[in-house]
Amino acid sequence: MRLSSSVFASFCLLIELLGIALFLRGFFPVPVKSSLSSKSKLSDLPAEPLAGNSPNSTKVPPPLFKRVVIILIDALREDFIFGPNGKRFMPYTRHIVERGSSHSFIAKARPPTVTMPRIKALTTGSIPGFIDVVMNLNSPAVLEDNVIWQAKNSGKRIIFYGDDTWVRLFPKHFMEYDGTTSFFVSDYTEVDNNVTRHLDSTLKRDDWDVLILHYLGLDHIGHISGPHSSLIGPKLLEMDDVIKKIHASLISREAEGTLPNLMVLCSDHGMSETGSHGGSSEPEISTPLILISPLFQRKVGLEQPAMVEQVDLAPTLALALALPISQNSVGRLIPAVFEEASLREQLRFLHMNGHQLSSLLRDSNPNFHKDGYEQFRMAEKTHGNWMKLYMDGNTSEVLGNMGKKLLKQYLEALQAMSAALSKQLGKYDMYSMIVGMSLILQVLVLLVLAMPEALSRAACVDVPVASAFLSLPFYLLCLLGSSIHVLVCTSAEASCYFCSLPWLLAFTAILFSSALLCSLVAMAARYDPFPNPKTSSDWTLSELDILLLTGTVGHTLSLGASSFVEEEHQTWYFLLNTLCLAVFQDVCRKYFRERRRPGDDEEDDPLLPSIAEEDASQATFSPAAELGVSVGSEKWLALSTPILTLACCRLLRSLNQTGVQWAHLPDLSHWLNSGDHKVVLSLLAALSLLLIFLLVQRRCSLVSKIALALGLLGVYSYRAAVGNVLFPWQHSGRSISKGTGEARFVYIFILGILFTGVKDLLRSQVMSSAVEGRRLKSRGLWEVYSGVVLLVALLFRAHNLPTLACCLLIQTLMAQFIWKKLHYDAAQTTIMHYWFGQAFFYFQGNSNNIATVDISVGFVGLESYVEAPAVFLTAFSTYAGPLLWACHLVCYLSSERDRAALSLGHGSYCFALLRSVPAVFYVVLVTALRYHLFIWSVFSPKLLYEAMHTLVTAAVCLFFTFMDQDRT
């Protein structure tokens, strides 16, 4: 069957997308769920254990509290209260912890430590998966069982003020609410005032049972300036005053003979040393949990807070309010809260919690007998014997000792079952992952084998599909695949998505995969891996090709170990340094070794022009002449380029510490951002912006040059307005603003430059002169590139502007003195751009930890939260390094005058040519697939994930090659 290159590539892309979707469906763990579809009810609670034939009771113990006030302070780290600064910034709260009627804990949050998954954990008791990071931007309603629904269903009246994520998660659950936008991090004042303004009137009312307050200001300050900012102290003092006001009101309204009230002070997550969150570092997962009530005994001094899980709050609140525990809760109750209850009630609470955990464990784990289940059953049996003695009126000391021993036995069983259920989060659908990856691998091999035909003059591909369906191996493969599918789906211990598909659809996929594999074998059989050198080009690999291929494959294999995942930047730094040394060797070979052999016959190598031809070409066009330097000094500039690149990379490594193990160490960015060195930062930012202008403006029109200069001046003005840098006439103590006007001033010039570039690109398509059309196209692309650079300069923090300047300097030097002069083909240039882009991702200060994502850049120039631009700006800033190198690749390949130097060379068979605008779509797709999350404890799926990424990179590269070839 013969297909054109574009149709064939589109077909391959469709199959590849299906494989990616199947792989990602298996990659994200499936949360633990109960087999029961309905929510828990009081009538479903287990009966109280009792040995013998005596009737046992299903009565629920009475509630311990009348009212509950939950104060959730976003990003409140435990050391903000329990640490050295607790007495200074939160004196009243610290006094309650040390001397008041309270219980203090350090609640451990599970990654991802972002708001929406943490709220779900607090209310449902379950552990959300990493897919909830994406859902955090647009939180859907919670459909599973949760304590908010149980409270509303039991008739309790709930009032909420604060983060509107609660309103989206629990619609129609609140009697009264007032939500505030959580993503507009530039606001840390009004967002809290909007909550506090309701307190005076609400605390005086008697028409509510549960009051929930979610304060966001502390989290926003962390995103803006970090946990050591001068703004942190006043905000903590403000929160301390709020706690004092609520506590005093609750105490004053308590009457004798009524149940006491409960105040819960907690946080959804902590704050990293950079002010962000999302990862698994100690400052991010350690949050305070303080329970305050007259029911508890007064403390006599500061005690070391005990460790609990964040999910333990949900079953504790449910039982304390006489509500059923959520079905999917994996938490265990906090025993200290129930110390004042009778021994029978304490045992009853533990039994109810154990029954819920054992039911969930039995539904989700086939080996549930090994994980505390039998221990719970033994405790339940002992509980029945204790109840028999208790009902018989036994009041001896033996009964009390037996009850205390039973309490300990229950707690050990609950801890074992909760831990076993928490481990279920790392459950991967390996079968779906392997099937999806095999589809992508087959598509890649198909594209590689079809490449000679697709790039021929006919631009057609002959795929032997008919012969594959008529071959015996096809039927054998179908039988083998069907057998494996039936075996896996009938014996799998956990649910598998591919097995849940209809059998007809699954077997159709098996038939297609078998036919595709047979077609690959037929195409490989007619392919000659050793072409005749008289009729084909020599495809032997050079030293640089071996380095690029080995480095890319080695990087993929390295990610099978957790240390290489956490410190992936070290791998890219090593590869980049090695690449610079290899390039330096090629430069020395070109300018010294080859020129000293005048007798050698250089006409045999079509990629290396003779010395006379090269000198003649330099007379008309030379990279040195383009930069305004003499031809004689071009050799020394080429020699110094790899060395200067190494120096820049070493400087950038010291600018931002990244990774996991050494991210806490001081670096140049911390030194520059301190208040004592603001003058140095201002000077460095100004010099960086000047260098950016000199490097970018060379290929732009006059109008774009003026717009670029004014835009960069606006960038500095914006940084001065927000207080990062200073103008010479400014004082360091001046008041700061949001810089909205200055940022919008820069946006105008960005849009103007982009408009000019797009206009030139459109004009190039209708020009009658081919030469003039190519000139306009090249200028248009470089103007679009300059607009992208201006946007990056606006979004980068002031200390990161040298990173952008070094990136542009390396691009300019490598393009003028390395890639052109050494005649590197398009494949080699593409892989080098990919390596540099990945390294600059980490030079920015990013890592595989989602906590390094700076969401504050999403609100540059915005007065309020607007989802689309905020998401775009945040993603653009995070991946600015790879995107800049991708855009430079497009501009460089499209503007090359000597197309022969960029022909499909000997190293390009494995990594095909990327040309023109389609490369942008390649980078966008690969970047989306490489969304950087810190992968948790199981790293074998990470290896499959990275291997799939490498396959997708090559496959998409080939896809756009075929599309471009068919168009030309």
Side-chain angles (χ1 to χ4, degrees):
M1 182 173 61
R2 297 185 64 85
L3 300 172
S4 66
S5 295
S6 59
V7 174
F8 172 75
S10 300
F11 173 76
C12 291
L13 181 63
L14 177 62
I15 303 303
E16 186 175 338
L17 292 176
L18 292 176
I20 294 172
L22 185 60
F23 180 92
L24 293 178
R25 177 59 178 80
F27 182 73
F28 288 104
V30 179
V32 175
K33 299 289 184 182
S34 173
S35 60
L36 301 177
S37 59
S38 60
K39 295 179 173 64
S40 298
K41 301 177 181 178
L42 289 176
S43 58
D44 298 333
L45 294 179
E48 196 170 10
L50 185 61
N53 297 324
S54 301
N56 49 4
S57 172
T58 60
K59 182 181 178 181
V60 181
L64 302 180
F65 305 104
K66 178 183 179 182
R67 282 182 169 186
V68 176
V69 178
I70 301 175
I71 308 173
L72 193 154
I73 303 177
D74 209 297
L76 180 66
R77 298 192 341 184
E78 55 91 11
D79 60 327
F80 287 166
I81 295 179
F82 306 129
N85 291 328
K87 286 187 176 181
R88 180 183 175 189
F89 296 127
M90 302 193 76
Y92 186 80
T93 305
R94 185 64 174 264
H95 173 74
I96 295 177
V97 170
E98 295 179 358
R99 303 290 179 181
S101 302
S102 64
H103 289 297
S104 303
F105 308 93
I106 296 178
K108 293 291 185 179
R110 295 293 185 97
T113 48
V114 292
T115 297
M116 191 272 282
R118 294 302 94 218
I119 294 177
K120 291 178 66 176
L122 287 168
T123 55
T124 66
S126 60
I127 302 177
F130 271 74
I131 191 64
D132 287 302
V133 174
V134 182
M135 306 302 295
N136 186 60
L137 299 174
N138 188 17
S139 309
V142 175
L143 300 179
E144 60 183 297
D145 200 358
N146 60 84
V147 69
I148 302 296
W149 185 91
Q150 292 290 352
K152 179 179 181 297
N153 190 53
S154 65
K156 296 191 180 298
R157 298 155 297 181
I158 310 173
I159 296 178
F160 170 77
Y161 304 120
D163 184 356
D164 60 359
T165 303
W166 289 78
V167 181
R168 296 195 300 269
L169 289 175
F170 307 105
K172 301 179 181 180
H173 286 65
F174 303 121
M175 177 187 72
E176 179 183 321
Y177 65 88
D178 185 8
T180 56
T181 301
S182 59
F183 291 104
F184 188 55
V185 299
S186 298
D187 174 26
Y188 52 83
T189 304
E190 293 299 325
V191 72
D192 285 347
N193 292 341
N194 193 51
V195 179
T196 306
R197 65 187 178 92
H198 296 283
L199 287 182
D200 291 334
S201 59
T202 304
L203 293 174
K204 296 177 182 178
R205 293 159 49 185
D206 295 324
D207 60 344
W208 57 269
D209 302 298
V210 179
L211 174 63
I212 303 175
L213 309 172
H214 189 147
Y215 285 93
L216 291 163
L218 185 66
D219 177 68
H220 291 184
I221 292 175
H223 284 297
I224 294 172
S225 53
H228 307 294
S229 167
S230 59
L231 300 172
I232 292 289
K235 179 56 66 174
L236 291 177
L237 287 171
E238 177 188 343
M239 295 296 98
D240 194 58
D241 290 339
V242 170
I243 295 170
K244 181 178 180 180
K245 176 186 293 187
I246 296 174
H247 188 222
S249 175
L250 291 178
I251 292 177
S252 64
R253 297 183 67 83
E254 285 190 358
E256 293 187 11
T258 61
L259 293 175
N261 299 321
L262 173 67
M263 185 168 71
V264 180
L265 174 62
C266 62
S267 181
D268 51 350
H269 52 74
M271 184 188 301
S272 69
E273 287 301 314
T274 61
S276 188
H277 54 87
S280 59
S281 66
E282 278 299 318
E284 293 172 85
I285 65 174
S286 299
T287 64
L289 176 60
I290 303 176
L291 307 174
I292 306 170
S293 175
L295 178 67
F296 307 141
Q297 295 181 357
R298 283 186 172 272
K299 300 293 183 294
V300 295
L302 180 61
E303 302 175 355
Q304 181 64 30
M307 295 287 184
V308 297
E309 293 290 332
Q310 196 179 58
V311 293
D312 295 344
L313 182 61
T316 301
L317 283 180
L319 294 176
L321 296 176
L323 302 173
I325 300 176
S326 305
Q327 286 182 353
N328 298 322
S329 172
V330 299
R332 53 196 177 97
L333 59 81
I334 302 175
V337 178
F338 305 92
E339 286 179 348
E340 301 303 319
S342 65
L343 184 57
R344 178 183 179 182
E345 290 179 345
Q346 291 184 52
L347 292 175
R348 177 64 170 144
F349 287 133
L350 291 171
H351 175 253
M352 293 167 62
N353 192 189
H355 181 271
Q356 177 266 327
L357 288 177
S358 63
S359 301
L360 185 61
L361 185 64
R362 187 175 59 249
D363 291 340
S364 60
N365 190 353
N367 300 319
F368 61 91
H369 294 283
K370 304 177 183 179
D371 299 316
Y373 183 86
E374 291 297 333
Q375 191 176 2
F376 168 72
R377 288 303 179 196
M378 292 177 60
E380 191 177 36
K381 185 177 180 181
T382 306
H383 189 185
N385 295 329
W386 185 91
M387 278 296 301
K388 187 175 186 306
L389 294 175
Y390 179 84
M391 298 299 292
D392 291 341
N394 191 328
T395 58
S396 64
E397 185 178 353
V398 176
L399 185 66
N401 294 334
M402 182 180 177
K404 294 178 181 178
K405 184 178 180 181
L406 180 58
L407 280 174
K408 183 178 179 181
Q409 193 175 359
Y410 261 136
L411 290 174
E412 291 176 352
L414 293 180
Q415 183 177 6
M417 289 189 293
S418 177
L421 287 167
S422 299
K423 291 179 181 178
Q424 297 297 312
L425 175 65
K427 219 184 235 185
Y428 292 89
D429 185 358
M430 297 299 296
Y431 183 47
S432 298
M433 291 172 65
I434 293 174
V435 172
M437 187 174 175
S438 65
L439 285 176
I440 297 172
L441 179 61
Q442 291 183 70
V443 170
L444 173 63
V445 175
L446 179 63
L447 288 170
V448 171
L449 293 177
M451 188 174 179
E453 294 182 66
L455 298 182
S456 63
R457 292 182 179 274
C460 291
V461 179
D462 185 13
V463 182
V465 177
S467 59
F469 279 108
L470 299 177
S471 62
L472 178 62
F474 166 72
Y475 296 100
L476 294 178
L477 287 174
C478 290
L479 181 61
L480 177 63
S482 301
S483 303
I484 294 176
H485 183 73
V486 172
L487 181 65
V488 171
C489 294
T490 54
S491 62
E493 295 182 348
S495 60
C496 173
Y497 176 73
F498 192 65
C499 293
S500 66
L501 296 177
W503 285 92
L504 180 61
L505 183 59
F507 283 123
T508 302
I510 294 173
L511 292 177
F512 173 79
S513 179
S514 302
L516 183 58
L517 186 58
C518 291
S519 300
L520 293 177
V521 174
M523 294 178 68
R526 73 188 185 194
Y527 168 68
D528 185 7
F530 303 102
N532 189 348
K534 295 182 179 181
T535 59
S536 302
S537 61
D538 184 9
W539 285 0
T540 59
L541 296 177
S542 66
E543 296 173 356
L544 183 64
D545 295 328
I546 295 175
L547 171 63
L548 295 174
L549 292 172
T550 305
T552 304
V553 175
H555 163 256
T556 300
L557 297 178
S558 72
L559 295 171
S562 61
S563 298
F564 283 98
V565 176
E566 295 172 351
E567 309 297 328
E568 186 182 355
H569 61 285
Q570 301 287 2
T571 303
W572 287 114
Y573 295 165
F574 172 79
L575 292 177
L576 207 59
N577 293 341
T578 308
L579 176 63
C580 291
L581 295 177
V583 170
F584 182 75
Q585 179 187 11
D586 283 354
V587 174
C588 293
R589 182 183 294 121
K590 174 179 176 59
Y591 284 103
F592 293 98
R593 179 181 173 186
E594 292 180 356
R595 288 181 178 273
R596 292 179 181 178
R597 294 185 300 169
D600 292 345
D601 185 10
E602 297 179 349
E603 295 180 356
D604 295 337
D605 191 350
L607 293 179
L608 291 176
S610 65
I611 297 176
E613 292 173 347
E614 187 171 343
D615 292 339
S617 64
Q618 288 178 348
T620 56
F621 173 76
S622 171
E626 186 178 349
L627 288 178
V629 297
S630 63
V631 178
S633 61
E634 179 181 340
K635 174 176 65 175
W636 302 108
L637 286 172
L639 285 171
S640 63
T641 293
I643 300 175
L644 184 59
T645 301
L646 283 173
C648 289
C649 293
R650 186 63 189 90
L651 175 64
L652 295 179
R653 289 179 61 177
S654 303
L655 185 62
N656 292 300
Q657 288 284 358
T658 184
V660 175
Q661 299 182 19
W662 298 283
H664 63 283
L665 297 179
D667 50 30
L668 287 178
S669 64
H670 287 86
W671 185 83
L672 290 170
N673 286 316
S674 63
D676 298 334
H677 307 108
K678 186 171 288 189
V679 175
V680 180
L681 178 60
S682 302
L683 181 61
L684 186 61
L687 293 177
S688 299
L689 291 174
L690 178 61
L691 181 59
I692 290 170
F693 174 75
L694 295 176
L695 292 173
V696 176
Q697 56 86 28
R698 296 178 299 109
R699 298 177 182 269
C700 299
S701 62
L702 179 61
V703 175
S704 296
K705 289 179 181 180
I706 297 174
L708 180 64
L710 294 176
L712 292 174
L713 181 60
V715 170
Y716 192 89
S717 301
Y718 167 74
R719 287 299 162 190
V722 298
N724 298 139
V725 298
L726 296 172
F727 280 113
W729 56 86
Q730 281 182 341
H731 300 287
S732 58
R734 68 181 293 271
S735 60
I736 61 176
S737 67
K738 297 178 182 179
T740 305
E742 291 83 353
R744 291 178 176 177
F745 176 79
V746 179
Y747 282 136
I748 293 175
F749 291 108
I750 293 173
L751 294 176
I753 296 174
L754 293 176
F755 174 79
T756 304
V758 172
K759 181 189 69 173
D760 288 342
L761 288 175
L762 296 177
R763 287 179 57 196
S764 66
Q765 302 299 317
V766 296
M767 293 296 296
S768 57
S769 173
V771 176
E772 184 66 19
R774 286 196 299 269
R775 187 187 66 82
L776 277 177
K777 178 182 178 182
S778 176
R779 191 178 72 180
L781 286 174
W782 285 110
E783 285 178 336
V784 171
Y785 175 71
S786 64
V788 173
V789 170
L790 182 55
L791 179 58
V792 173
L794 175 63
L795 299 181
F796 269 15
R797 292 182 182 252
H799 72 270
N800 257 341
L801 289 176
T803 305
L804 178 58
C806 289
C807 174
L808 299 176
L809 180 62
I810 293 173
Q811 288 176 351
T812 302
L813 294 177
M814 293 290 289
Q816 300 300 331
F817 301 110
I818 301 299
W819 295 320
K820 286 182 181 180
K821 299 305 294 180
L822 298 185
H823 305 288
Y824 287 149
D825 58 42
Q828 294 169 327
T829 306
T830 298
I831 301 174
M832 289 185 197
H833 276 79
Y834 175 71
W835 282 22
F836 274 105
Q838 292 298 311
F840 270 87
F841 174 84
Y842 296 102
F843 286 148
Q844 295 175 228
N846 295 321
S847 70
N848 283 339
N849 189 337
I850 196 175
T852 55
V853 177
D854 183 10
I855 67 172
S856 63
V857 300
F859 308 96
V860 174
L862 299 181
E863 286 285 1
S864 60
Y865 173 66
V866 184
E867 183 173 344
V871 173
F872 169 76
L873 293 176
T874 303
F876 184 88
S877 175
T878 303
Y879 293 102
L883 288 174
L884 277 176
W885 282 92
C887 293
H888 184 270
L889 173 66
V890 174
C891 297
Y892 172 75
L893 295 182
S894 299
S895 62
E896 265 306 286
R897 302 185 182 185
D898 187 6
R899 303 298 295 185
L902 293 173
S903 61
L904 201 62
H906 54 276
S908 60
Y909 190 69
C910 294
F911 293 89
L913 170 64
L914 284 178
R915 286 185 302 208
S916 190
V917 179
V920 172
F921 299 99
Y922 147 74
V923 175
V924 170
L925 180 57
V926 172
T927 300
L929 291 173
R930 270 189 64 84
Y931 185 74
H932 284 73
L933 298 175
F934 179 71
I935 305 302
W936 49 106
S937 57
V938 182
F939 286 94
S940 55
K942 172 66 175 176
L943 177 60
L944 291 178
Y945 177 75
E946 289 295 335
M948 187 206 68
H949 162 253
T950 303
L951 297 180
V952 171
T953 301
V956 177
C957 186
L958 289 168
F959 164 74
F960 286 119
T961 300
F962 293 169
M963 295 293 289
D964 197 35
Q965 175 70 15
D966 191 47
R967 185 177 69 250
T968 55

